[in-house]
Amino acid sequence: MNPQFTRNPENVPGLQQRSLKAGRKTFKQRRDSHEQVDSLQEIKENAASKRLSRSDGEKNDNESRIEPLSIPRIDESNLPKERRHEYNELSKLLSKINALQEKSFRLATEEIVQTSETQTKELHDTIDELKKELESERRNNEDLRQELAESKQYNQQVHEEKLLVKELFGLEVLSSRAVEEGIRYTCRNTGRRGQLEYQLLLDNFNFTFTPCLNPQHDGELMDYLPEYLTEEIIFTKEQGKLFSARIMKALQD
Protein backbone atom coordinates (compact mmCIF):
# COMPACT_ATOMS: atom_id res chain seq x y z
CA MET A 1 0.00 0.00 0.00
CA ASN A 2 1.20 3.41 -0.92
CA PRO A 3 2.08 5.25 2.26
CA GLN A 4 0.80 8.61 1.02
CA PHE A 5 -2.76 7.28 0.88
CA THR A 6 -2.68 5.89 4.38
CA ARG A 7 -2.07 9.22 5.94
CA ASN A 8 -4.89 11.12 7.64
CA PRO A 9 -6.39 13.68 5.19
CA GLU A 10 -6.13 16.29 7.87
CA ASN A 11 -2.36 15.81 7.83
CA VAL A 12 -2.21 16.35 4.05
CA PRO A 13 -1.98 20.11 3.40
CA GLY A 14 -3.31 20.16 -0.17
CA LEU A 15 -6.18 17.83 0.52
CA GLN A 16 -7.14 19.71 3.66
CA GLN A 17 -7.28 23.02 1.73
CA ARG A 18 -9.47 21.53 -1.00
CA SER A 19 -11.79 20.05 1.61
CA LEU A 20 -12.16 23.41 3.34
CA LYS A 21 -12.94 25.14 0.05
CA ALA A 22 -15.53 22.53 -0.83
CA GLY A 23 -17.10 22.87 2.62
CA ARG A 24 -17.24 26.63 2.34
CA LYS A 25 -18.83 26.37 -1.12
CA THR A 26 -21.42 23.86 0.09
CA PHE A 27 -22.20 26.03 3.11
CA LYS A 28 -22.51 29.11 0.88
CA GLN A 29 -24.92 27.29 -1.46
CA ARG A 30 -27.06 26.15 1.47
CA ARG A 31 -27.01 29.65 2.94
CA ASP A 32 -27.96 31.25 -0.42
CA SER A 33 -30.70 28.70 -0.90
CA HIS A 34 -32.12 29.39 2.57
CA GLU A 35 -31.86 33.13 1.99
CA GLN A 36 -33.71 32.81 -1.33
CA VAL A 37 -36.45 30.73 0.30
CA ASP A 38 -36.68 33.22 3.15
CA SER A 39 -36.78 36.09 0.63
CA LEU A 40 -39.60 34.46 -1.35
CA GLN A 41 -41.53 33.76 1.85
CA GLU A 42 -41.01 37.36 2.91
CA ILE A 43 -42.34 38.51 -0.48
CA LYS A 44 -45.51 36.46 0.00
CA GLU A 45 -45.98 37.74 3.55
CA ASN A 46 -45.43 41.35 2.44
CA ALA A 47 -47.97 40.94 -0.36
CA ALA A 48 -50.54 39.46 2.03
CA SER A 49 -49.81 42.20 4.55
CA LYS A 50 -50.33 44.87 1.90
CA ARG A 51 -53.66 43.33 0.89
CA LEU A 52 -54.84 43.38 4.51
CA SER A 53 -53.49 46.88 5.04
CA ARG A 54 -55.17 48.18 1.91
CA SER A 55 -58.45 46.48 2.83
CA ASP A 56 -58.36 48.15 6.26
CA GLY A 57 -57.49 51.46 4.63
CA GLU A 58 -60.51 51.20 2.31
CA LYS A 59 -62.81 50.54 5.24
CA ASN A 60 -61.39 53.09 7.63
CA ASP A 61 -60.06 55.87 5.41
CA ASN A 62 -62.44 55.59 2.42
CA GLU A 63 -59.59 55.95 -0.05
CA SER A 64 -60.62 57.31 -3.42
CA ARG A 65 -58.23 55.00 -5.23
CA ILE A 66 -56.96 51.46 -4.66
CA GLU A 67 -53.21 51.18 -4.42
CA PRO A 68 -52.04 48.23 -6.54
CA LEU A 69 -50.25 45.36 -4.88
CA SER A 70 -46.57 44.96 -5.65
CA ILE A 71 -43.61 42.81 -4.70
CA PRO A 72 -39.96 43.81 -4.43
CA ARG A 73 -37.96 43.43 -7.59
CA ILE A 74 -35.22 40.84 -7.24
CA ASP A 75 -32.67 39.33 -9.56
CA GLU A 76 -34.28 36.12 -10.74
CA SER A 77 -30.93 34.72 -11.76
CA ASN A 78 -30.09 34.30 -8.08
CA LEU A 79 -33.17 32.13 -7.52
CA PRO A 80 -33.33 28.39 -8.05
CA LYS A 81 -35.47 27.28 -10.96
CA GLU A 82 -38.44 26.20 -8.83
CA ARG A 83 -38.30 29.44 -6.78
CA ARG A 84 -38.04 31.48 -9.95
CA HIS A 85 -41.22 29.79 -11.20
CA GLU A 86 -43.00 30.59 -7.92
CA TYR A 87 -41.85 34.19 -8.15
CA ASN A 88 -43.21 34.52 -11.70
CA GLU A 89 -46.50 32.90 -10.73
CA LEU A 90 -46.81 35.25 -7.77
CA SER A 91 -46.19 38.23 -10.05
CA LYS A 92 -48.91 37.04 -12.44
CA LEU A 93 -51.30 36.48 -9.54
CA LEU A 94 -50.70 39.98 -8.20
CA SER A 95 -51.28 41.42 -11.68
CA LYS A 96 -54.63 39.61 -11.89
CA ILE A 97 -55.57 40.77 -8.40
CA ASN A 98 -54.68 44.37 -9.27
CA ALA A 99 -56.71 44.17 -12.48
CA LEU A 100 -59.73 42.77 -10.63
CA GLN A 101 -59.43 45.40 -7.91
CA GLU A 102 -59.20 48.18 -10.46
CA LYS A 103 -62.19 46.84 -12.36
CA SER A 104 -64.19 46.44 -9.15
CA PHE A 105 -63.29 49.97 -8.07
CA ARG A 106 -64.23 51.38 -11.48
CA LEU A 107 -67.57 49.57 -11.52
CA ALA A 108 -68.34 50.67 -7.96
CA THR A 109 -67.43 54.26 -8.83
CA GLU A 110 -69.59 54.20 -11.96
CA GLU A 111 -72.49 52.76 -9.96
CA ILE A 112 -72.11 55.45 -7.30
CA VAL A 113 -71.97 58.18 -9.95
CA GLN A 114 -74.98 56.74 -11.77
CA THR A 115 -76.93 56.42 -8.52
CA SER A 116 -75.97 59.97 -7.56
CA GLU A 117 -77.06 61.30 -10.95
CA THR A 118 -80.36 59.41 -10.71
CA GLN A 119 -81.00 60.71 -7.21
CA THR A 120 -80.08 64.23 -8.30
CA LYS A 121 -82.49 64.03 -11.24
CA GLU A 122 -85.25 62.69 -9.00
CA LEU A 123 -84.55 65.48 -6.52
CA HIS A 124 -84.75 68.12 -9.26
CA ASP A 125 -87.99 66.57 -10.54
CA THR A 126 -89.42 66.61 -7.03
CA ILE A 127 -88.39 70.24 -6.58
CA ASP A 128 -90.02 71.15 -9.90
CA GLU A 129 -93.23 69.38 -8.88
CA LEU A 130 -93.22 71.14 -5.52
CA LYS A 131 -92.68 74.48 -7.24
CA LYS A 132 -95.64 73.80 -9.53
CA GLU A 133 -97.79 72.78 -6.56
CA LEU A 134 -96.69 75.87 -4.65
CA GLU A 135 -97.54 78.11 -7.60
CA SER A 136 -100.90 76.38 -7.94
CA GLU A 137 -101.59 76.86 -4.23
CA ARG A 138 -100.65 80.52 -4.52
CA ARG A 139 -103.12 80.98 -7.37
CA ASN A 140 -105.78 79.10 -5.42
CA ASN A 141 -105.15 81.26 -2.36
CA GLU A 142 -105.37 84.37 -4.49
CA ASP A 143 -108.66 83.15 -5.95
CA LEU A 144 -109.94 82.32 -2.47
CA ARG A 145 -108.99 85.77 -1.19
CA GLN A 146 -110.78 87.31 -4.14
CA GLU A 147 -113.85 85.15 -3.54
CA LEU A 148 -113.77 85.97 0.17
CA ALA A 149 -113.62 89.68 -0.56
CA GLU A 150 -116.50 89.35 -3.01
CA SER A 151 -118.44 87.26 -0.50
CA LYS A 152 -117.97 89.88 2.21
CA GLN A 153 -119.09 92.56 -0.18
CA TYR A 154 -122.11 90.49 -1.22
CA ASN A 155 -123.06 89.77 2.39
CA GLN A 156 -122.84 93.45 3.16
CA GLN A 157 -125.10 94.26 0.23
CA VAL A 158 -127.61 91.59 1.28
CA HIS A 159 -127.60 92.92 4.82
CA GLU A 160 -128.24 96.43 3.60
CA GLU A 161 -131.05 95.26 1.29
CA LYS A 162 -132.67 93.26 4.09
CA LEU A 163 -132.41 96.28 6.33
CA LEU A 164 -134.14 98.40 3.69
CA VAL A 165 -136.97 95.86 3.29
CA LYS A 166 -137.42 95.75 7.05
CA GLU A 167 -137.60 99.53 7.35
CA LEU A 168 -140.03 99.96 4.43
CA PHE A 169 -142.24 96.88 4.72
CA GLY A 170 -141.53 95.53 8.20
CA LEU A 171 -140.42 92.17 6.72
CA GLU A 172 -137.43 90.17 8.01
CA VAL A 173 -136.16 86.89 6.57
CA LEU A 174 -134.81 85.10 9.63
CA SER A 175 -133.52 81.99 7.84
CA SER A 176 -133.76 79.92 4.69
CA ARG A 177 -132.89 76.33 3.85
CA ALA A 178 -133.33 73.96 0.97
CA VAL A 179 -135.69 71.04 1.56
CA GLU A 180 -137.02 68.28 -0.64
CA GLU A 181 -140.14 70.28 -1.54
CA GLY A 182 -138.25 73.51 -2.34
CA ILE A 183 -136.94 76.39 -0.21
CA ARG A 184 -138.33 77.04 3.26
CA TYR A 185 -138.14 80.60 4.61
CA THR A 186 -138.74 81.68 8.17
CA CYS A 187 -140.09 85.24 8.13
CA ARG A 188 -141.34 87.87 10.53
CA ASN A 189 -143.54 90.86 9.80
CA THR A 190 -143.77 93.76 12.26
CA GLY A 191 -146.57 96.31 12.42
CA ARG A 192 -148.53 98.48 14.81
CA ARG A 193 -150.48 95.44 16.07
CA GLY A 194 -147.38 93.38 16.81
CA GLN A 195 -145.18 90.75 15.14
CA LEU A 196 -146.30 87.79 13.05
CA GLU A 197 -143.78 84.98 12.53
CA TYR A 198 -144.47 82.43 9.83
CA GLN A 199 -142.90 80.05 7.32
CA LEU A 200 -143.12 80.25 3.55
CA LEU A 201 -142.38 77.17 1.46
CA LEU A 202 -141.58 78.08 -2.13
CA ASP A 203 -141.69 75.37 -4.80
CA ASN A 204 -141.70 75.72 -8.56
CA PHE A 205 -145.20 77.18 -8.73
CA ASN A 206 -146.68 78.02 -5.32
CA PHE A 207 -146.15 79.47 -1.86
CA THR A 208 -147.30 77.62 1.23
CA PHE A 209 -147.97 79.91 4.20
CA THR A 210 -147.81 78.39 7.72
CA PRO A 211 -148.26 80.78 10.70
CA CYS A 212 -146.22 80.23 13.88
CA LEU A 213 -148.78 81.32 16.49
CA ASN A 214 -148.92 80.44 20.16
CA PRO A 215 -152.32 81.21 21.76
CA GLN A 216 -150.67 81.89 25.12
CA HIS A 217 -148.30 84.53 23.74
CA ASP A 218 -150.07 85.68 20.58
CA GLY A 219 -153.68 85.66 21.80
CA GLU A 220 -154.16 89.42 21.44
CA LEU A 221 -152.59 89.42 17.96
CA MET A 222 -154.83 86.56 16.88
CA ASP A 223 -157.88 88.65 17.78
CA TYR A 224 -156.87 91.28 15.20
CA LEU A 225 -155.71 88.94 12.43
CA PRO A 226 -158.06 87.74 9.70
CA GLU A 227 -158.93 84.08 10.10
CA TYR A 228 -157.12 83.08 6.90
CA LEU A 229 -153.80 84.29 8.43
CA THR A 230 -154.17 81.91 11.37
CA GLU A 231 -154.10 78.76 9.25
CA GLU A 232 -152.13 77.25 6.37
CA ILE A 233 -152.67 78.87 2.96
CA ILE A 234 -151.41 77.90 -0.49
CA PHE A 235 -151.23 80.55 -3.20
CA THR A 236 -149.41 81.01 -6.49
CA LYS A 237 -146.26 83.01 -7.09
CA GLU A 238 -148.30 85.64 -8.91
CA GLN A 239 -150.36 86.17 -5.75
CA GLY A 240 -147.28 86.69 -3.57
CA LYS A 241 -147.30 90.49 -3.70
CA LEU A 242 -151.02 90.60 -2.85
CA PHE A 243 -150.50 88.26 0.09
CA SER A 244 -147.63 90.39 1.42
CA ALA A 245 -149.79 93.52 1.20
CA ARG A 246 -152.61 91.87 3.15
CA ILE A 247 -150.23 90.85 5.96
CA MET A 248 -148.92 94.41 6.20
CA LYS A 249 -152.48 95.79 6.26
CA ALA A 250 -153.57 93.29 8.92
CA LEU A 251 -150.68 94.25 11.21
CA GLN A 252 -151.19 98.00 10.74
CA ASP A 253 -155.00 98.33 11.04
Side-chain angles (χ1 to χ4, degrees):
M1 181 178 295
N2 193 339
Q4 65 179 355
F5 293 104
T6 61
R7 297 175 59 184
N8 190 337
E10 295 180 357
N11 297 326
V12 181
L15 183 61
Q16 182 179 8
Q17 186 175 6
R18 287 195 299 272
S19 177
L20 289 175
K21 289 182 179 180
R24 284 197 297 271
K25 183 177 181 181
T26 303
F27 175 76
K28 184 176 183 301
Q29 290 176 346
R30 288 199 303 269
R31 184 191 63 188
D32 292 342
S33 177
H34 285 300
E35 288 179 352
Q36 291 169 355
V37 172
D38 293 340
S39 177
L40 188 58
Q41 183 66 26
E42 183 180 357
I43 290 172
K44 293 180 179 179
E45 292 177 354
N46 288 339
S49 176
K50 285 186 177 181
R51 285 198 300 271
L52 292 175
S53 176
R54 182 162 40 260
S55 176
D56 293 338
E58 291 172 356
K59 294 179 181 178
N60 299 327
D61 300 332
N62 294 322
E63 295 179 352
S64 60
R65 298 290 298 175
I66 298 179
E67 181 183 354
L69 299 175
S70 62
I71 58 176
R73 301 296 300 175
I74 62 175
D75 187 1
E76 298 182 19
S77 61
N78 294 328
L79 294 175
K81 183 177 180 180
E82 62 275 9
R83 301 306 179 190
R84 190 183 310 155
H85 176 72
E86 291 181 3
Y87 179 82
N88 292 332
E89 290 298 321
L90 180 59
S91 298
K92 294 178 181 178
L93 178 61
L94 290 180
S95 297
K96 292 180 180 180
I97 292 175
N98 289 332
L100 290 175
Q101 286 182 338
E102 182 64 26
K103 182 178 180 181
S104 176
F105 176 80
R106 185 176 66 256
L107 292 177
T109 303
E110 291 175 355
E111 182 179 358
I112 292 174
V113 171
Q114 184 177 4
T115 301
S116 178
E117 291 177 350
T118 302
Q119 292 177 346
T120 301
K121 184 179 182 303
E122 292 177 353
L123 180 59
H124 284 304
D125 292 341
T126 302
I127 292 175
D128 292 339
E129 290 296 328
L130 290 176
K131 287 182 178 179
K132 292 179 181 178
E133 292 180 6
L134 179 60
E135 184 62 27
S136 177
E137 289 297 327
R138 286 176 178 173
R139 289 195 298 267
N140 291 338
N141 289 339
E142 186 64 28
D143 293 340
L144 288 175
R145 283 195 293 267
Q146 183 67 25
E147 292 177 3
L148 180 60
E150 293 175 356
S151 177
K152 289 181 178 179
Q153 184 178 3
Y154 174 77
N155 290 337
Q156 181 64 25
Q157 291 176 352
V158 171
H159 175 72
E160 293 173 354
E161 291 172 359
K162 290 173 66 176
L163 183 61
L164 178 62
V165 172
K166 178 182 178 181
E167 294 297 330
L168 291 178
F169 306 103
L171 173 63
E172 295 179 78
V173 179
L174 303 178
S175 65
S176 64
R177 62 188 179 93
V179 294
E180 184 177 355
E181 299 85 354
I183 302 176
R184 187 182 301 278
Y185 298 92
T186 300
C187 304
R188 182 168 58 202
N189 271 83
T190 303
R192 189 169 59 87
R193 298 290 185 182
Q195 292 181 339
L196 174 62
E197 188 169 320
Y198 55 92
Q199 290 186 348
L200 282 177
L201 175 62
L202 175 62
D203 57 27
N204 293 331
F205 306 101
N206 300 315
F207 282 103
T208 300
F209 168 81
T210 304
C212 301
L213 294 172
N214 187 335
Q216 295 181 356
H217 299 90
D218 302 317
E220 184 177 354
L221 177 62
M222 293 174 66
D223 293 338
Y224 291 102
L225 291 176
E227 185 177 354
Y228 64 86
L229 291 180
T230 61
E231 58 188 11
E232 185 177 284
I233 305 173
I234 298 176
F235 52 92
T236 64
K237 289 182 178 181
E238 290 76 11
Q239 295 173 319
K241 296 181 179 63
L242 177 60
F243 177 80
S244 178
R246 289 185 177 181
I247 288 182
M248 292 173 58
K249 185 176 184 301
L251 291 175
Q252 291 296 337
D253 293 343

